[in-house]
């Protein structure tokens, strides 16, 4: 493998008015693919949790400038930057940039080949356009929570907190590169309006289609699958440790019975998929009794010797240590300018693709509000240090300097005092 | 941009669908043993906007990119190994989508949607704490992989178009892409040593971050960083509030009946819009039929009509509106 970084978006400039997680996740992907991404924050940051902003990793690698858009001079600088950009995007509520004369229409009048992207919970137009949303709200409105359960059951919210955000971010990256490709073919820019809720509904597209074809909401089988029997999440040794097992057909079932050496499973009434479906409760009970004596990783290794579909359920604690993640470089240690919470570096996922013969861009640490005012405004607009200092003194620009998290209080619930050692974090 | 899709699962099928929905040309390789892997509903959803092409009509020189999820053996069977496809085609992009990736110790593992969700990590924080973790619906992992596949194809072709890069083979796994969806949990543990557990099905009491039954369906209630007294007033529970600041230490057991009655007094869209006026992020819990007909999706013209056995049905369109 060569040491050359894969950078198909080299030379592309992106100006992003972003907060929280969704759009930052998308522009992080574009950064990872070689684009220069400058994020713009208001004075004092974006009012989102500082610790979360630093540790989420979605701001990593980007420059950060801080502009007070309530001031005319601040809006003029933002407009000048937009003219220098290939893409301008934001995930404020749709009315916000309009208020500052930075709406897509205004920007495109000044630069027709510009690509703009507006991301929001529900998209525009529509009666819900300016309703505020976090990712979990859009999962509910997009159909995910309801499709987790059956009629009459309480809909379940999946627990990642940023599931919809990450998905919408990925769609934003796709929409932007598609627009860049079209611009390369036609010379024209475009305005993209992305709804996080629609991204969830599109993700559920197969089930949505099944519903409109059949006239009924698809039945949720939970961890089971009538096409693969038995299938489930079974307990293993340890607290909240599990293995996933999924039997594709009768031949795989016979292998499973043989490798498990469980006489109770060797029963003619379990020979066919149909009969196993009928006895799924009993089978789950028998399988769980067996798996609960095993370590999840060792049991997976055993089952995979016979190519039985299975995998350990990764937890927050062991995910970073997963051998496949490690072999594929799915996490990079990102070095800090100064140790954070006692460690010199922390792991973050880079671009999750492997490019044959090329390497991925190395992640660099979070940049604080306004930390790159001088560098970006000089390079993009030719502004002098003296001019930038004046604007900082007058409060048009804001510079917080490097991040300080020493006083941040972290909740100590479910605390593992040995986490640093387990993850091998450098001091 | 013209893309060849060689699909046997939702991953490459979704990648092809998104590229087609973005108005680029997508040809799907028509091979019966691959087509037969899809259900009827999947075919209706995925095949929109694509052309079918037979193997003997195929000329790879016509394409900028190939996206596939059928694996090395199946490709070789049709004389389309990655080496053969890229040989002499310097600008061709080939994107391979798979459950666990083409390299690494798990590359040869047998897998399925649920085992990928397990090893990808999202599953452990889904469901209830006193039950096994719960799989996400449908082929969520494969569909997410498809979004990455579409992005990889489009980005890599753009890299060729603008002269920054030449053609390339990209290997993307569902495990790697799914892991990105719970990075906050991984970071939380790596930075602070803390973990978030699944909540039990019937926790002691309830609080306002909750899914509750409105007059006509479920409403999801999230009022992050809101003062509890203000939320209680909004829910019509002012008189029941015993402690002013923290919703988690309210006497929920005594309040539950009043809470249930209050939420049931309005429909879910009313709660949604009234909460939005307060700046809070409530949301209606929508089922597929709500989604097809709700006013927001109607206003955005999100759904596309497609023919199904002689009748027109509505299926999700591209999740963004584009104005040129």
């Amino acid at each position: 493998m060569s040491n050359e970084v894969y950078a198909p978006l080299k030379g592309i400039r992106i100006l992003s008015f972003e907060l929280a997680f969704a759009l930052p996740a998308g522009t992080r992907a574009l950064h990872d693919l070689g684009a220069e991404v400058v994020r713009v924050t208001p004075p004092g940051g974006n009012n989102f949790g500082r610790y979360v902003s630093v540790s989420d990793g979605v701001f990593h690698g980007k420059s950060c400038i801080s502009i007070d858009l309530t001031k005319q001079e601040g809006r003029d600088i933002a407009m000048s930057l937009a003219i220098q950009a290939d893409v301008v995007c934001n995930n404020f509520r749709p009315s916000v940039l309009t208020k500052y004369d930075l709406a897509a229409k205004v920007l495109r009048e000044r630069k027709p080949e510009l690509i703009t992207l507006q991301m929001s919970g529900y998209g525009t137009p529509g009666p819900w356009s300016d309703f505020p949303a976090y990712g979990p709200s859009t999962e509910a409105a997009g159909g995910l929570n309801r499709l987790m359960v059956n009629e009459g059951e309480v809909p379940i919210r999946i627990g990642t907190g940023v599931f919809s955000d990450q998905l919408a971010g990925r769609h934003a990256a796709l929409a932007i590169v598609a627009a860049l490709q079209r611009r390369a073919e036609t010379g024209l820019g475009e305005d993209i309006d992305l709804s996080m809720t629609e991204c969830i509904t599109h993700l559920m597209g197969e089930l949505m289609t099944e519903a409109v074809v059949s006239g009924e909401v698809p039945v949720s089988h939970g961890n089971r699958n009538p096409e693969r029997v038995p299938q489930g999440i079974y307990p293993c040794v340890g607290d909240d440790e599990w293995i996933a097992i999924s039997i594709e057909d009768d031949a795989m079932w016979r292998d499973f019975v043989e490798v498990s050496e469980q006489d109770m499973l060797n029963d003619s009434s379990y020979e066919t998929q149909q009969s196993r479906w009928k006895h799924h409760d009993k089978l789950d009970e028998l399988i769980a009794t067996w798996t609960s004596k095993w370590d999840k990783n060792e049991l997976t290794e055993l089952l995979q010797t016979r190519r039985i579909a299975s995998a350990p359920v990764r937890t927050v604690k062991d995910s970073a240590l997963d051998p496949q993640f490690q072999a594929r470089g799915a996490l990079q240690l990102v070095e800090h300018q100064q140790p954070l919470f006692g460690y010199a570096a922390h792991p973050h996922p880079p671009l999750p693709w492997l490019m044959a013969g090329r390497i991925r861009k190395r992640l660099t640490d979070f940049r604080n509000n306004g930390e790159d005012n001088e560098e970006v405004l000089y390079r993009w607009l030719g502004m002098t240090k003296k001019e930038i200092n004046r604007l900082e003194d007058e409060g048009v620009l804001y510079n917080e300097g490097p991040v300080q998290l020493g006083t941040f209080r972290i909740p100590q619930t479910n605390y593992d005092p040995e986490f640093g050692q387990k993850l091998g974090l450098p001091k | 941009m013209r893309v060849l899709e060689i699909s046997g699962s939702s991953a490459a099928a979704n990648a092809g669908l998104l590229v087609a929905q973005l108005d680029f040309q997508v040809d799907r390789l028509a091979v019966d043993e691959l087509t037969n892997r899809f259900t009827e509903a999947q075919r209706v959803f995925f095949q929109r906007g694509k052309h079918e092409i037979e193997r003997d009509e195929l000329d790879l020189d016509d394409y900028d990119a190939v996206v596939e999820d059928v694996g090395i053996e199946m490709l070789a069977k049709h004389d389309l190994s990655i080496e053969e496809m890229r040989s002499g085609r310097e600008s061709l992009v080939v994107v391979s989508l798979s459950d666990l990736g083409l390299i690494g110790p798990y590359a040869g593992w047998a897998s399925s949607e649920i085992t990928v969700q397990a090893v990808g990590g999202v599953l452990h924080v889904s469901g209830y704490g006193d039950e096994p973790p719960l799989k996400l619906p449908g082929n969520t992992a494969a569909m997410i992989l498809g979004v990455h596949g579409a992005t990889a194809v489009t980005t890599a072709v753009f890299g060729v178009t603008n002269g920054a890069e030449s053609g390339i083979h990209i290997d993307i796994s569902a495990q790697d892409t799914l892991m990105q969806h719970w990075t906050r949990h991984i970071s939380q543990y790596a930075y602070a040593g803390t973990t978030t557990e699944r909540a039990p099905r019937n926790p002691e009491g309830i609080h306002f971050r909750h899914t509750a039954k409105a007059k006509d369906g479920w409403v999801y209630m999230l009022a992050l960083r809101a003062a509890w007294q203000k939320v209680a007033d909004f829910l019509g529970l002012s008189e029941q509030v015993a402690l002013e600041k923290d919703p988690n230490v309210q006497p929920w057991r005594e309040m539950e009946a009043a809470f249930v009655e209050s939420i049931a007094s309005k429909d879910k869209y009313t709660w949604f819009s009234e909460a939005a006026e307060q700046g809070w992020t409530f949301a209606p819990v929508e089922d597929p039929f709500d989604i097809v007909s709700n006013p927001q999706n109607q206003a955005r013209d999100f759904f596309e009509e497609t023919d199904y056995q002689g009748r027109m049905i509505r299926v999700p369109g591209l999740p963004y509106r584009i104005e040129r």
Side-chain angles (χ1 to χ4, degrees):
Chain A
M1 184 177 285
S2 82
N3 286 325
E4 202 178 337
V5 172
Y6 184 63
L9 299 183
K10 190 176 177 185
I12 297 299
R13 281 179 165 177
I14 296 171
L15 188 69
S16 187
F17 298 83
E18 59 185 34
L19 76 166
F21 196 104
L23 182 60
T27 55
R28 229 305 296 282
L30 300 172
H31 157 81
D32 295 348
L33 287 158
E36 180 189 0
V37 181
V38 173
R39 72 182 178 101
V40 186
T41 63
N46 59 27
N47 206 24
F48 207 69
R50 182 62 52 84
Y51 157 70
V52 169
S53 296
V54 173
S55 62
D56 269 346
V58 289
F59 295 117
H60 283 28
K62 305 171 191 174
S63 305
C64 182
I65 60 175
S66 188
I67 306 175
D68 187 348
L69 295 177
T70 66
K71 296 188 163 75
Q72 183 59 48
E73 208 169 354
R75 293 195 290 276
D76 292 344
I77 291 170
M79 176 59 84
S80 300
L81 288 165
I83 301 302
Q84 296 300 317
D86 296 283
V87 179
V88 176
C89 47
N90 84 90
N91 65 333
F92 301 148
R93 276 190 271 170
S95 58
V96 173
L97 286 188
T98 303
K99 189 170 72 181
Y100 297 127
D101 281 334
L102 292 165
K105 192 180 169 196
V106 178
L107 299 178
R108 291 283 306 288
E109 277 171 9
R110 295 284 302 274
K111 186 178 183 181
E113 68 271 33
L114 188 67
I115 292 159
T116 71
L117 180 138
Q118 163 78 57
M119 176 193 286
S120 59
Y122 306 103
T124 60
W128 302 351
S129 290
D130 227 26
F131 286 11
Y134 282 118
S137 323
T138 65
E139 291 160 16
L144 179 56
N145 296 17
R146 171 61 182 84
L147 289 166
M148 294 280 287
V149 300
N150 287 309
E151 181 69 36
E153 297 172 333
V154 181
I156 297 179
R157 181 177 83 83
I158 64 168
T160 76
V162 294
F163 184 84
S164 173
D165 299 80
Q166 184 67 254
L167 179 71
R170 294 290 155 180
H171 271 286
L174 169 60
I176 286 169
V177 290
L180 286 167
Q181 174 64 20
R182 263 193 303 270
R183 188 178 74 171
E185 293 172 1
T186 66
L188 300 173
E190 58 190 54
D191 300 329
I192 303 157
D193 188 284
L194 185 148
S195 154
M196 293 174 70
T197 302
E198 288 178 357
C199 292
I200 287 290
T201 303
H202 194 281
L203 186 77
M204 298 288 109
E206 295 165 285
L207 298 175
M208 289 292 302
T209 307
E210 200 179 315
V212 294
V213 162
S214 69
E216 293 175 2
V217 178
V219 172
S220 167
H221 296 291
N223 289 334
R224 294 180 181 176
N225 180 347
E227 306 295 320
R228 302 179 71 97
V229 194
Q231 174 176 287
I233 304 294
Y234 301 99
C236 288
V237 169
D239 180 28
D240 205 18
E241 298 287 1
W242 309 85
I243 185 171
I245 298 173
S246 175
I247 304 297
E248 185 175 4
D249 53 24
D250 295 343
M252 192 181 276
W253 170 250
R254 287 192 291 276
D255 284 344
F256 179 76
V257 172
E258 196 176 306
V259 79
S260 72
E261 299 178 337
Q262 298 299 293
D263 289 341
M264 301 283 277
L265 296 174
N266 197 6
D267 184 321
S268 59
S269 57
Y270 305 144
E271 277 177 0
T272 67
Q273 187 155 284
Q274 201 175 7
S275 63
R276 290 195 296 277
W277 181 254
K278 192 175 159 192
H279 297 291
H280 214 309
D281 286 346
K282 182 63 182 172
L283 281 175
D284 280 352
E285 194 183 306
L286 293 170
I287 294 168
T289 303
W290 176 60
T291 60
S292 61
K293 299 180 182 109
W294 280 84
D295 169 86
K296 64 182 180 182
N297 296 308
E298 290 173 5
L299 182 52
T300 302
E301 278 179 33
L302 174 72
L303 294 172
Q304 289 291 350
T305 61
R306 301 293 289 269
R307 287 192 49 77
I308 293 164
S310 53
V313 177
R314 286 284 165 239
T315 69
V316 167
K317 291 182 181 177
D318 67 16
S319 195
L321 306 173
D322 179 88
Q324 184 74 356
F325 282 147
Q326 292 192 334
R328 292 174 66 82
L331 287 162
Q332 284 182 359
L333 270 180
V334 177
E335 292 176 8
H336 306 303
Q337 296 175 64
Q338 54 194 7
L340 288 181
F341 305 114
Y343 294 102
H346 286 94
H348 288 278
L351 178 73
W353 312 344
L354 289 184
M355 280 69 63
R358 304 293 290 277
I359 61 170
R360 290 177 280 208
K361 197 165 183 171
R362 274 213 70 78
L363 289 174
T364 54
D365 203 7
F366 174 89
R367 302 287 291 173
N368 207 8
N369 300 309
E371 202 171 350
D372 299 303
N373 284 347
E374 201 173 307
E375 194 271 332
V376 171
L377 294 174
Y378 169 71
R379 204 158 41 76
W380 283 39
L381 302 181
M383 290 172 72
T384 63
K385 186 176 180 179
K386 188 178 170 188
E387 202 174 352
I388 292 163
N389 287 344
R390 176 188 66 81
L391 290 164
E392 286 180 350
D393 289 345
E394 290 175 3
V396 175
L397 301 174
Y398 186 80
N399 185 350
E400 244 177 72
V403 68
Q404 304 286 338
L405 292 178
T407 57
F408 194 89
R409 192 178 68 82
I410 299 166
Q412 295 293 295
T413 48
N414 303 317
Y415 177 66
D416 176 4
E418 295 172 354
F419 75 96
Q421 190 185 352
K422 286 178 184 170
L423 295 176
L425 299 181
K427 289 277 187 183
Chain B
M1 180 169 74
R2 188 173 179 186
V3 177
L4 175 67
E5 172 195 315
I6 310 174
S7 61
S9 81
S10 308
N14 194 34
L17 173 64
L18 285 163
V19 173
Q21 288 182 310
L22 283 160
D23 286 342
F24 296 108
Q25 184 171 340
V26 177
D27 296 341
R28 180 178 181 275
L29 187 65
V31 176
D32 284 347
E33 65 180 310
L34 296 177
T35 304
N36 293 340
R37 293 181 187 178
F38 293 94
T39 65
E40 204 163 357
Q42 284 177 315
R43 283 179 219 171
V44 170
F45 179 67
F46 288 126
Q47 297 314 337
R48 289 170 289 155
K50 302 174 187 173
H51 302 96
E52 296 256 306
I53 187 160
E54 300 291 334
R55 177 64 185 92
D56 57 6
E57 296 170 346
L58 184 66
D59 182 352
L60 279 172
D61 292 337
D62 294 339
Y63 294 92
D64 299 294
V66 178
V67 59
E68 65 86 13
D69 65 5
V70 299
I72 291 164
E73 285 177 21
M74 182 64 77
L75 289 175
K77 185 175 167 183
H78 294 279
D79 298 324
L80 289 167
S81 73
I82 289 156
E83 295 72 25
E84 283 171 299
M85 286 195 282
R86 296 215 57 229
S87 175
R89 297 184 185 91
E90 285 299 304
S91 62
L92 184 70
V93 169
V94 179
V95 176
S96 292
L97 308 177
S98 60
D99 282 351
L100 300 165
L102 300 183
I103 61 166
Y106 300 173
W109 276 15
S111 59
S112 72
E113 173 69 27
I114 196 171
T115 68
V116 172
Q117 288 192 19
V119 82
V122 167
L123 198 141
H124 194 258
V125 287
S126 295
Y128 294 112
D130 40 9
E131 298 171 13
L134 184 62
K135 176 184 166 289
L136 276 57
N139 297 308
T140 303
M143 292 292 286
I144 289 170
L145 180 59
V147 179
H148 281 262
T151 311
V153 160
T154 312
T155 311
V157 170
F158 175 70
V160 174
T161 306
N162 76 354
E165 291 286 352
S166 55
I168 197 157
H169 176 224
I170 301 177
D171 161 17
I172 313 179
S173 83
Q175 184 196 10
D176 287 352
T177 56
L178 203 55
M179 188 256 265
Q180 308 252 335
H181 288 258
W182 77 328
T183 50
R184 177 166 289 171
H185 291 266
I186 293 174
S187 298
Q188 185 187 337
Y189 182 66
Y191 277 74
T194 60
T195 58
T196 304
E197 312 294 334
R198 301 186 307 282
R201 183 181 280 270
N202 296 304
E204 279 292 306
I206 48 179
H207 57 86
F208 71 82
R209 186 171 172 159
H210 191 75
T211 299
K213 195 142 200 178
K215 189 189 279 183
D216 60 342
W218 298 94
V219 61
Y220 175 68
M221 297 184 294
L222 176 65
L224 213 57
R225 299 191 186 93
W228 165 238
Q229 182 67 58
K230 200 175 171 193
V231 178
D233 292 345
F234 175 74
L235 297 177
L237 297 172
S238 310
E239 290 177 13
Q240 282 80 12
V241 173
L243 299 164
E244 287 187 2
K245 289 185 179 171
D246 187 350
N248 294 315
V249 293
Q250 298 297 319
W252 272 109
R253 206 170 287 283
E254 291 85 61
M255 291 170 67
E256 188 160 359
F259 174 82
V260 169
E261 187 183 348
S262 166
I263 304 301
S265 68
K266 297 178 187 175
D267 64 52
K268 60 183 182 179
Y269 290 167
T270 301
W271 281 117
F272 179 37
S273 59
E274 289 183 357
E277 284 172 23
Q278 304 292 324
W280 299 335
T281 54
F282 284 28
V285 178
E286 300 282 78
D287 74 21
F289 301 105
D290 298 329
I291 292 168
V292 171
S293 60
N294 78 36
Q296 183 67 13
N297 290 331
Q298 300 251 0
R300 280 177 59 80
D301 205 13
F302 170 47
F303 282 85
E304 291 173 3
E305 291 213 323
T306 191
D307 180 70
Y308 171 69
Q309 295 183 349
R311 68 181 165 108
M312 298 307 283
I313 60 168
R314 305 185 78 204
V315 292
L318 189 68
Y320 11 103
R321 290 170 63 93
I322 296 170
E323 277 186 38
R324 294 176 184 138

